[in-house]
Amino acid sequence: MFFLRDLPSRRMVEVYAERHDGLDVEAVRDALVLMRRASLLVRRLEAYFAAHGLSQLRFLVLIVIDREPERDGLSVTEIAERLDVSKPVITRTLAHLVEDGLIAIEADPDDARAKVVRLTEAGRATLSEVLPGYFALLSASGEDEGA
Amino acid sequence: MFFLRDLPSRRMVEVYAERHDGLDVEAVRDALVLMRRASLLVRRLEAYFAAHGLSQLRFLVLIVIDREPERDGLSVTEIAERLDVSKPVITRTLAHLVEDGLIAIEADPDDARAKVVRLTEAGRATLSEVLPGYFALLSASGEDEGA
DNA sequence: TGCCTTTCGTTACCATGATAACTAAAGAGC
DNA sequence: GCTCTTTAGTTATCATGGTAACGAAAGGCA
């Protein structure tokens, strides 16, 4: 993402609001601030993950597998659904995670089309190493920039 | 961006909170909801812009030039600064906008290194065509999904 | 059984973000 | 006026998002 550095100026919105009435200036401001704050938070998170050899998506893949321990692994499609990301992106991301030894992929014994994706020990270790800092960044995100 | 489809479950946060105390569960939830909402809004905006032959960045380039009418055009660097995006991305985006006839780029008479980027008539026309729908989407963004 | 549709995952390709390294010109300091 | 540094913009390369189209297997149904 990204967004206008200098606060999506109230002036700008008001100027345009004059020309198009019925515009809820406050709601527009809120939406702009929402995107700006989320953008900054995502940048901080990506920088944090990069320092641990991960990306936000790689991390979230580990999370969604880990948080369903009763499921003995998820399929590629299930991961894509839970993360709301397209399947080709998941395929590529899983390949990276296998390279790094954080997950293991096996054929599904019940369906020759499907695969079962599981965390490895290293994957679980990475997750517990990264989680505290992740939550700390999320906790802190409400405090900074008055954007 | 993107994010966990099923609400970044409170259960998940609480489970991890137990292991790492001092964690502000509410603040974490807020941050997750923030990212999810922004992600969905950005997707809707990108879809809207795509339907008009633009992207969010191309649109914002037009906006930042348009909102400084006293400045007779901006430099590439100034646009990059205002949008908080790297210069190579701006170079590429400007090339697309020139192809589409929405902006014009000339040499800066006062500095042989620099260029002056201005909106064309078509650029201003596109902007006024797209703005109402843009603000409408922003206004509406607070109403939907309880994410 | 044999076909037709659906589903699983991948491949191929495109859009858009980043950084590193480069050229050309401007500006600082002697 | 000559260097050295800084600044403007581009090029090259990479990461990560998307859609379209594909092969292989499963499933529905005559």
Side-chain angles (χ1 to χ4, degrees), chain A residues 17 32 36 39 48 50 64 73 78 80 82 98 101 104 111 115-117 121 129 132 134 138 141:
Chain A
L32 292 170
R36 176 72 182 155
S39 173
Y48 173 71
V64 296
E78 286 171 331
R82 281 160 180 65
V98 168
D111 185 338
K115 296 179 170 184
V116 181
V117 183
E121 258 324 302
E129 179 188 318
Y134 175 67
L138 293 186
S141 73

Side-chain angles (χ1 to χ4, degrees), chain A residues 57-117:
Chain A
L57 182 55
R58 292 182 199 189
F59 169 75
L60 288 171
V61 167
L62 300 181
I63 283 277
V64 296
I65 300 171
D66 186 59
R67 80 177 179 184
E68 293 188 56
E70 72 283 5
R71 278 294 319 278
D72 187 38
L74 297 179
S75 72
V76 173
T77 299
E78 286 171 331
I79 295 171
E81 285 169 354
R82 281 160 180 65
L83 293 179
D84 206 3
V85 163
S86 68
K87 286 199 288 186
V89 171
I90 297 297
T91 294
R92 188 210 289 147
T93 303
L94 292 178
H96 286 304
L97 289 169
V98 168
E99 272 173 40
D100 293 348
L102 303 182
I103 61 171
I105 303 183
E106 286 173 39
D108 183 332
D110 301 326
D111 185 338
R113 297 168 305 176
K115 296 179 170 184
V116 181
V117 183

Side-chain angles (χ1 to χ4, degrees), chain A residues 37 41 45 59 131-143, chain B residues 3-4 8-10 12-14 16-17 20 22-36 147:
Chain A
R37 289 190 50 201
L41 176 54
L45 288 174
F59 169 75
L131 273 168
Y134 175 67
F135 284 125
L137 279 173
L138 293 186
S139 280
S141 73
E143 296 160 14
Chain B
F3 209 66
L4 291 165
S9 66
R10 154 166 274 112
M12 168 186 125
V13 181
E14 283 170 348
Y16 287 116
H20 309 97
L23 183 63
D24 182 343
V25 177
E26 283 313 308
V28 169
R29 281 280 296 186
D30 288 349
L32 293 169
V33 170
L34 170 80
M35 288 195 290
R36 177 71 181 155

